[in-house]
Amino acid sequence: MVRADMAVDPLYRLLAWLSPAYPIGAFSYSHGVETAVEEGFIRDRASLVAWLESVLTVGTGAVDGALFAAAWRAAEAQDWPAFDSIAERAAAWRGTSEMALESRQQGGSFLSITRTAWPHADLDAVHERLAGEIALPVAVALAAATHGIALEMALGGYLHAFMANLISAAVRAVPLGQTDGQRALAGLEGAVRRTVEAALAVTDLDEVGTSTPLLDWCSLRHEIQYTRLFRS
């Protein structure tokens, strides 16, 4: 028999949503890692960790973390005009067409499956207003806020899943062994924590940006790369 106070488990839901098994197609994207391997920027575990730390702390992770925190706060406060403005910014805040597709496709899939498996009126309302078009960090933040999952825990989980997915891509593309993949993930723990703290401290999204031009270059190169395993 399940006790009433155990009926809703925020951690259970967060783990389900950020699992590699959640059907949003994350496995098909490498976020430029495939091209970075092709060009020799990522060759082994050490170069992978260095690359991903930059992506996380001064690249996509920094931007998505700030968007996630702002979207969570707006949804938690039921400030839907502010939330929709953040969602609009997130949809435009991508340097290449592949990066935009990666975030938009996963975000739309995330919102769709979460509305089905963990229904909530606010998820339905956002889906209706945005016609199902939503960036992934904003979609996950929305679900976390509406289901009562604390911001810091949700954001940390999101960034961990982001890194784990890119490491999985590198394990296949370099290739790396599974043990080196896990050692890389362990090596990024501090960077994930710093990125969470930086995102939580953001008070103005206009002050947020990236400094990873090589990541954008890899994404642009990937669009015309002859042999590809991944969609980005």
Side-chain angles (χ1 to χ4, degrees), residues 158-172:
Y158 176 83
L159 293 174
H160 168 275
F162 178 40
M163 289 294 99
N165 189 65
L166 299 193
I167 289 170
S168 176
V171 166
R172 287 172 278 169

Side-chain angles (χ1 to χ4, degrees), residues 111-212:
L111 184 56
S112 178
I113 191 63
T114 305
R115 288 173 61 226
T116 301
W118 282 275
H120 193 287
D122 289 342
L123 301 184
D124 294 337
V126 169
H127 181 270
E128 181 71 21
R129 289 199 310 275
L130 302 182
E133 293 282 331
I134 188 169
L136 182 60
V138 176
V140 180
L142 170 66
T146 55
H147 284 275
I149 299 174
L151 171 56
E152 186 170 352
M153 179 171 69
L155 178 53
Y158 176 83
L159 293 174
H160 168 275
F162 178 40
M163 289 294 99
N165 189 65
L166 299 193
I167 289 170
S168 176
V171 166
R172 287 172 278 169
V174 172
L176 291 176
Q178 296 291 339
T179 298
D180 267 347
Q182 291 306 306
R183 291 174 70 190
L185 187 59
L188 289 164
E189 182 175 354
V192 168
R193 169 47 42 192
R194 294 194 302 274
T195 305
V196 169
E197 292 171 352
L200 294 177
V202 170
T203 58
D204 184 354
L205 288 176
D206 287 341
E207 300 300 319
V208 177
T210 66
S211 55
T212 50

Side-chain angles (χ1 to χ4, degrees), residues 197-230:
E197 292 171 352
L200 294 177
V202 170
T203 58
D204 184 354
L205 288 176
D206 287 341
E207 300 300 319
V208 177
T210 66
S211 55
T212 50
L214 196 55
L215 171 61
D216 290 339
W217 182 85
C218 282
S219 179
L220 290 168
R221 289 282 295 172
H222 190 265
E223 294 175 2
I224 57 172
Q225 191 167 313
Y226 181 72
T227 302
R228 303 191 304 180
L229 297 175
F230 301 94

